[in-house]
Amino acid sequence: MFIGHYGPAFAAPAARRIPLWHLFIAVQLVDYGWAILSILGVEKMRIEPGFTAMSPYDLYHMPWTHSLAASLVWAGAAAALYALVLRRGWPRGLVIGAAVLSHWFLDLLVHTPDLALWPGGPKVGLGWWDSWPLGLGSELIVLAAGFALYMTVSTAKSALGRVTPFILLGVLALLEASHLFVSMPDQTVTQGAVSILIVFTVLTALAAWCDATRRYKSV
């Protein structure tokens, strides 16, 4: 899953207490780790056009970021960092941890069976990426539901704040469309991982822009 991962970032129950850009990092934290470990050769993937209907990535070895056990560790570490090191408190830390963990369960829907339960353990995945209606539909439904909730709990500080969320949503839609419908140049694994890191960083910057132009409503 790609843009669907941002649905929980928009929808996090305590979002009115957590900057949106923090949640944008949280929901993709394991993919940040996966991209870095792929560049280093610790985790492995192959880029094979047509591998599934919606993704060319054969993610055949990623036990340290995308196994369920590893995801629990990443989520726990992120929660503790947010709560204790950044001193945001455990209620917010637990929301950050849940956002991190949401990545695995959303990937479970769309991935082929490449998500290990633990490093070296059995692999699972429902494979919705092999079906356009299921793959794309799940992405759009999760994102739209989260975005709708975000718009109900936040309000614009100015006229600009009325449009910044829709600019962010439009960029997400364009990135999904370019991924699915535009022929991309051949890439090495390293180039693919670097491009993913750049995209995540740009999206996080846009989320920070939303934070600067909107505020959460009083509880």
Side-chain angles (χ1 to χ4, degrees), residues 61-79:
H61 182 72
M62 46 182 187
W64 310 115
T65 58
H66 281 71
S67 68
L68 177 57
S71 294
L72 288 167
V73 172
W74 282 81

Side-chain angles (χ1 to χ4, degrees), residues 164-216:
T164 49
F166 294 97
I167 293 173
L168 175 55
L169 187 66
V171 171
L172 284 165
L174 285 173
L175 286 170
E176 182 76 358
S178 67
H179 171 69
L180 296 176
F181 303 116
V182 177
S183 297
M184 302 300 289
D186 290 338
Q187 289 183 317
T188 66
V189 169
T190 296
Q191 289 170 335
V194 169
S195 66
I196 286 169
L197 289 173
I198 292 171
V199 167
F200 288 169
T201 302
V202 169
L203 291 173
T204 300
L206 289 174
W209 186 35
C210 279
D211 285 325
T213 60
R214 296 183 68 83
R215 62 175 177 270
Y216 292 112

